Amino acid sequence: QSVLTQPPSVSGAPGQRVTISCTGSSSNIGAGYAVHWYQQFPGTAPQLLVYENNNRPSGVPDRFSGSKSGTIASLAIAGLQAEDEADYYCQSFDSSLSGWVFGGGTKLTVL
Amino acid sequence: EVELVESGGGLVEPGGSLRLSCEASGFTFRTYSMNWVRQAPGKGLEWVSSIDSSSSYIYYADSLKGRFTISRDNAKNSLYLHMNSLRAEDTAMYYCVRSSRAVVAAGNWFDSWGQGTQVTVSS
């Protein structure tokens, strides 16, 4: 059981918008700790996609956006493209565990 | 360009030990905190350990219960993970990961990842 809860899978057609939720608690997201998102293609290492809730590293398209409210963070992907098909992970800090925690990951399928 | 290259993984019997290494290049290694993150086959990501830029502050996941030791050598631009009393559940890809800051802080993110080294614990 991951401390941060993500849906196991989401899907959408090319051009559509999808969102991936990341539900935490009062000891992590709800405590105000920043949420970061990573993208991982099969057989490769994760890559930073969004940091500090809603910031994109250089090179990440603005189709990707993050938000946070209360104990829930979300990653939105607009204008879905086939190349977006990957696993997505949220990450934050948990004060009860005194460590960094990840969501269980969400597999995005582009139909 | 930031490059992190892990080595030292392999097949080890339960109860055995292994030392993972990570050689960094393309950035000023001594000014960043570093981490190990692992991923069991078909599973999600799990934070393992963090060390600040000067080795003054070190943190471990509770689940490791003192079996792992992280260290670094800034003169050699290298990060290490010593793993003892290995168990089947330690089987995973181990990633060397750079943090966003020199200090280990709650708000840190993991901005650069190596390609990983596979550790398999089995008899």
Side-chain angles (χ1 to χ4, degrees), chain A residues 6-10 20 37-49 64 75 77 82-90 102-110, chain B residues 39-45 95:
Chain A
Q6 297 180 234
S9 64
V10 297
I20 299 172
W37 292 88
Y38 304 87
Q39 179 187 56
Q40 185 179 33
F41 297 107
T44 70
Q47 300 176 77
L48 180 65
L49 192 64
F64 295 89
L75 175 71
I77 309 172
E83 65 203 51
D84 298 333
E85 197 161 280
D87 293 326
Y88 294 84
Y89 293 90
C90 60
F102 289 91
T106 298
K107 181 176 181 59
L108 169 63
T109 300
V110 181
Chain B
Q39 185 172 33
K43 302 297 184 181
L45 302 169
Y95 293 103

Side-chain angles (χ1 to χ4, degrees), chain A residues 33-34 36 38 40 44-48 51-52 89 91 93 97-100 102 104, chain B residues 37 39 43-45 47 50 62 95 101 104-111 113-115:
Chain A
Y33 294 113
H36 321 291
Y38 304 87
Q40 185 179 33
T44 70
Q47 300 176 77
L48 180 65
Y51 65 95
E52 289 188 318
Y89 293 90
Q91 174 248 315
F93 180 84
L97 297 173
S98 297
W100 291 263
F102 289 91
Chain B
V37 174
Q39 185 172 33
K43 302 297 184 181
L45 302 169
W47 168 73
S50 299
D62 287 345
Y95 293 103
R101 302 184 181 94
V104 178
N108 279 4
W109 57 93
F110 304 130
D111 66 3
W113 299 62
Q115 286 306 302

Side-chain angles (χ1 to χ4, degrees), chain A residues 2-18:
Chain A
S2 299
V3 173
L4 304 179
T5 301
Q6 297 180 234
S9 64
V10 297
S11 63
Q16 284 189 332
R17 181 179 185 271
V18 297

Side-chain angles (χ1 to χ4, degrees), chain A residues 28-79:
Chain A
N28 42 69
I29 298 175
Y33 294 113
V35 178
H36 321 291
W37 292 88
Y38 304 87
Q39 179 187 56
Q40 185 179 33
F41 297 107
T44 70
Q47 300 176 77
L48 180 65
L49 192 64
V50 169
Y51 65 95
E52 289 188 318
N53 306 321
N54 56 13
N55 296 287
R56 289 183 306 276
S58 60
V60 173
D62 59 6
R63 302 187 295 105
F64 295 89
S65 62
S67 63
K68 189 182 88 163
S69 178
T71 59
I72 302 176
S74 297
L75 175 71
I77 309 172

Side-chain angles (χ1 to χ4, degrees), chain B residues 53-70:
Chain B
S53 59
S54 61
S55 303
S56 298
Y57 296 93
I58 289 174
Y59 304 88
Y60 299 99
D62 287 345
S63 60
L64 299 179
K65 296 184 179 178
R67 297 184 296 119
F68 290 11
T69 302
I70 191 173

